[in-house]
C-alpha cells in the first residue's frame, strides 16, 4: 500500500513559492511518493489581476520546468496541472488555458468571493471585520457549487477554505455542503484533502471530517495535496490525511492522466 499522489504543488513562477520543480520531485522521492503533480496558480487574462500567480507569457516556461523534472526523475510519475481560480465570467479564459497544453488535471479553487477579495489572503484579513461570517461562507459555497457545475475542473481545491483564519460558523452548514457535493458528483469532480490547513490558523486539513463524510455519501472522489510552496512541504502530513480519509469511509483515491480519471486503492 503506497502513499497517495501529492497533486497540489507550486513553483516560484507564482511569486510566493520557492524551489524548482526538480527539487520538489527529489523531495517527493525521499518522502516515499511514487506520483506527484504540479498545480501552480494559473495566469489570469488581466496581468495586473493580483500579485500571486504566473504571467500568461510564462505558461510555456512553467510547462518546460515540469518537463525538466519529468526527465530528471523518470522513476517518479509527474503530472502537469494548474490550480485555476474560478470566478464567474472567466469560463472562456479557463477553456482557452485548457486548450494550450496537454494538462493532466485542473484544480478549480475559489479564493475570490468578489473581484477584489481573496478570502485566504493574509493581507486582506481586515476584510473579514464587520462581515457576517455566515454570509461569506454562503457566497463562497455558491461560487464553489458553480465551479463544480461548470465542468471545467477535475478536482476542487481546499473546499472549506473560509475556515483558514478561524472564521467558523455557529450554525449548521450541511445544506450548503450537500448542494455543492451533489454538483461535484454530477460533473464528476473530485475534492482534495489539502494538508496545508494544518499549517494555517485553523490547524485542520481542508476539508473537515463532516464534509468528507458527506462527500463519501455522495460518492464524490478524493485526491490528496500538500499545497507545497517549498520542497520541504511535499507529502507533508499525508499519514494524517490518509487516516482522515479512511475515517470518512474512503479507501480509493483518484489519479489523472490527460484529464482521464481512474481510481486506485490507498
Ligand atoms: Zn499559493
Ligand atoms: Fe488555493
Ligand atoms: Fe495551491
Ligand atoms: Zn491552494
Amino acid at each position: 500500500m503506497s502513499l497517495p499522489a501529492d497533486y497540489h504543488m507550486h513553483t516560484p513562477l507564482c511569486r510566493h513559492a520557492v524551489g524548482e520543480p526538480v527539487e520538489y520531485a527529489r523531495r517527493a522521492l525521499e518522502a516515499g511518493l511514487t506520483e506527484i503533480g504540479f498545480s501552480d496558480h494559473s495566469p489570469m487574462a488581466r496581468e495586473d489581476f493580483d500579485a500571486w500567480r504566473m504571467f500568461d507569457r510564462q505558461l510555456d516556461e512553467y510547462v518546460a520546468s515540469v518537463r525538466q523534472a519529468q526527465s530528471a526523475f523518470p522513476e517518479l510519475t509527474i503530472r502537469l496541472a494548474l490550480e485555476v481560480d474560478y470566478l464567474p465570467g472567466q469560463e472562456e479564459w479557463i477553456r482557452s488555458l485548457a486548450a494550450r497544453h496537454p494538462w493532466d488535471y485542473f484544480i478549480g479553487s475559489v479564493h475570490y468571493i468578489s473581484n477584489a477579495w481573496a478570502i485566504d489572503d493574509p493581507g486582506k484579513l481586515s476584510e473579514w471585520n464587520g462581515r457576517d461570517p455566515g454570509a461569506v461562507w454562503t457566497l463562497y459555497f455558491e461560487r464553489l457549487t458553480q465551479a463544480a457545475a461548470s465542468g471545467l475542473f477535475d478536482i476542487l481545491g481546499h473546499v472549506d477554505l473560509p475556515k483558514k483564519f478561524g472564521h467558523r460558523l455557529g450554525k449548521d452548514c450541511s445544506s450548503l455542503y450537500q448542494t455543492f457535493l451533489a454538483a461535484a458528483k454530477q460533473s464528476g469532480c473530485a475534492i482534495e484533502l489539502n494538508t496545508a490547513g494544518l499549517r494555517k490558523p485553523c490547524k485542520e486539513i481542508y476539508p473537515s471530517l463532516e464534509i468528507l463524510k458527506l462527500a463519501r455519501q455522495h460518492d464524490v472522489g478524493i485526491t490528496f495535496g500538500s499545497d507545497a510552496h517549498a520542497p520541504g512541504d511535499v507529502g507533508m502530513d499525508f499519514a494524517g490525511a490518509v487516516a482522515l480519509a479512511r475515517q470518512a469511509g474512503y479507501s480509493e483515491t483518484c489519479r489523472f492522466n490527460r484529464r482521464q480519471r481512474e481510481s486506485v486503492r490507498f
Side-chain angles (χ1 to χ4, degrees), residues 8-10 16 39 41 83 109 111 158 192 194 227-229:
H8 197 145
M9 308 194 313
H10 292 273
H16 62 280
S39 53
H41 298 288
E83 178 178 14
S109 289
H111 303 105
H158 44 58
E192 66 166 4
N194 181 315
D227 215 336
H229 285 71

